[in-house]
Amino acid sequence: MSVEVPLAGVIGNPVSHSKSPALHGHWLRRYGINGHYVPLKVTHEDLKKVMRALPKMGFLGVNVTIPHKEQVLSLADSVSDRAALIGAANTITFSSKGKVQADNTDGMGFLANLHQNAPDWRADAGPALVLGAGGAARAIVSALLSEGAPEVFVVNRTRARGEALRDKLGARVKVVDWTRIPELLPDQACLVNTTSLGMEGGQPLNINLSTLRPSTLVTDVVYTPLQTPLLQQAAAIGCSTVDGLGMLLHQAVPGFERWFGQKPEVDDALRQAVLTA
């Protein structure tokens, strides 16, 4: 009697840079699961055909990365409330009948990372300042609000994107200009960079943290380098800091559990496996 081998993967374009195969591969080996997780380069033009073909090929689900996170929603048969609210999906599960179920676990991954690495942090301790208004920002602002943040200030180079985020998520989102960051910093319980600024080989994140209080938690979604200049500056002031790798690791947990039937653990061994991949 043949036994089906569970399959999952990550779709994007490009996809060769993705850490997800190393992440899920570590869990598959750790839990002795005879399954596979593969990177799949998929163009915008082919996305619809691929999404219909994958369940027929034995795939139980896929993660979705740039540039398909928004388009994939229109191809789903069902969309979770949080994916609909955020306007993007990063986790797809195929039902036994091939139906496409879309979810977004980025916000959950963000919160789980903070709770694991800054256990004393509380979202309701005060306002949060979020840099950026893209897909990651939408997930993170939504998560902060659901966790009890009284206000979330959103700063983005293009104000219209921040206003679109506010229109989607409500009046507790305050859109402010980049130039106001220094005056806002002293009142923030949490500072989050959701932009790619500060990434290795990219543009720097130029903000003055001199008005930041040591009691503020600072986190960055960028994890190359692991200790970004933002986190280094904040640590020098005395702030608690949390790097962005944990968000990547934690957002993967729900998908792995759905596809492979095992709730995986996020620990130091997983971090090392992903960092050395």
Side-chain angles (χ1 to χ4, degrees), residues 199-222:
M199 186 179 291
E200 204 169 84
Q203 296 295 314
L205 174 59
N206 293 318
I207 63 171
N208 183 351
L209 297 184
S210 61
T211 57
L212 194 64
R213 292 178 301 155
S215 58
T216 303
L217 175 70
V218 180
T219 185
D220 200 325
V221 301
V222 172

Side-chain angles (χ1 to χ4, degrees), residues 237-254:
I237 292 169
C239 298
S240 295
T241 64
V242 177
D243 66 59
L245 182 60
M247 178 176 166
L248 173 74
L249 305 183
H250 281 284
Q251 64 78 32
V253 169

